[in-house]
Amino acid sequence: MLFENLKPKVTQILTKEDKPLTDRLHSVCQLLKDSITYYDWVGFYFKNGDKEELKLRTYVGEATDHEIIPFGKGICGQVAISNENFVVPDVQAQDNYIACSFTVKSEIVIPLFKAGENIGQIDIDSETPNPFTEKDERFLEFVNQEVAKIL
């Protein structure tokens, strides 16, 4: 039920045309982090121009050094190539994981499509082992669909 209650709030934030795009994305990150107990870091990465890399646009949570991620590197970089959701129940079990913080236990990354092209993603780190379900995936797909409408 939580996800259903958050959907109209996400849409409301994103459709506030008087606010800059990055501010709206940041507000969505804040809403998700504040509303879902196991969402400890929430951020949006986007393709960095014509480069084969992602650039962090905005986030809420602990500071990160990973503002640029090459395609193929880490979970986010893999999603940039695969175009598929990636749920990591245990980051320690992933060979290609880029550690942001020793407190992170799991991660979910959902690609963001505009006109059929993977242009970015929402990335969520959790300090809780294996908290993400199919409901998280469907909700975050909804969030990305709403974001795509304003890009």
Side-chain angles (χ1 to χ4, degrees):
M1 194 63 191
L2 171 64
F3 293 130
E4 291 305 313
N5 292 337
L6 287 174
K7 284 181 177 182
K9 294 177 182 179
V10 167
T11 303
Q12 182 182 26
I13 289 168
L14 291 173
T15 54
K16 287 187 178 175
E17 294 182 8
D18 59 322
K19 295 210 176 221
L21 177 61
T22 301
D23 290 355
R24 289 184 267 168
L25 293 173
H26 187 82
S27 293
V28 168
C29 292
Q30 192 69 60
L31 173 70
L32 299 187
K33 185 177 182 303
D34 290 348
S35 302
I36 303 170
T37 57
Y38 53 93
Y39 284 19
D40 296 301
W41 190 96
V42 181
F44 283 98
Y45 284 92
F46 288 93
K47 188 173 181 204
N48 192 9
D50 291 334
K51 299 177 184 172
E52 294 274 304
E53 65 185 23
L54 297 164
K55 184 174 184 180
L56 183 60
R57 176 106 180 224
T58 189
Y59 70 94
V60 174
E62 280 190 41
T64 180
D65 293 333
H66 303 114
E67 293 191 19
I68 300 290
I69 299 176
F71 283 11
K73 187 167 170 62
I75 307 307
C76 292
Q78 289 178 69
V79 169
I81 292 172
S82 73
N83 299 325
E84 295 178 3
N85 297 352
F86 201 150
V87 179
V88 183
D90 176 6
V91 296
Q92 298 301 318
Q94 279 295 318
D95 292 339
N96 196 14
Y97 176 69
I98 303 172
C100 294
S101 166
F102 68 91
T103 61
V104 174
K105 304 287 187 244
S106 54
E107 182 175 13
I108 185 170
V109 180
I110 307 294
L112 196 160
F113 296 97
K114 176 82 176 176
E117 181 185 353
N118 182 349
I119 60 163
Q121 53 199 226
I122 189 167
D123 177 21
I124 299 173
D125 292 342
S126 180
E127 296 174 5
T128 304
N130 197 18
F132 303 113
T133 68
E134 189 176 322
K135 289 180 181 178
D136 291 277
E137 287 188 73
R138 298 297 84 81
F139 172 67
L140 295 170
E141 288 168 354
F142 165 83
V143 170
N144 281 353
Q145 288 165 1
E146 294 299 296
V147 169
K149 290 177 185 177
I150 64 165
L151 297 176

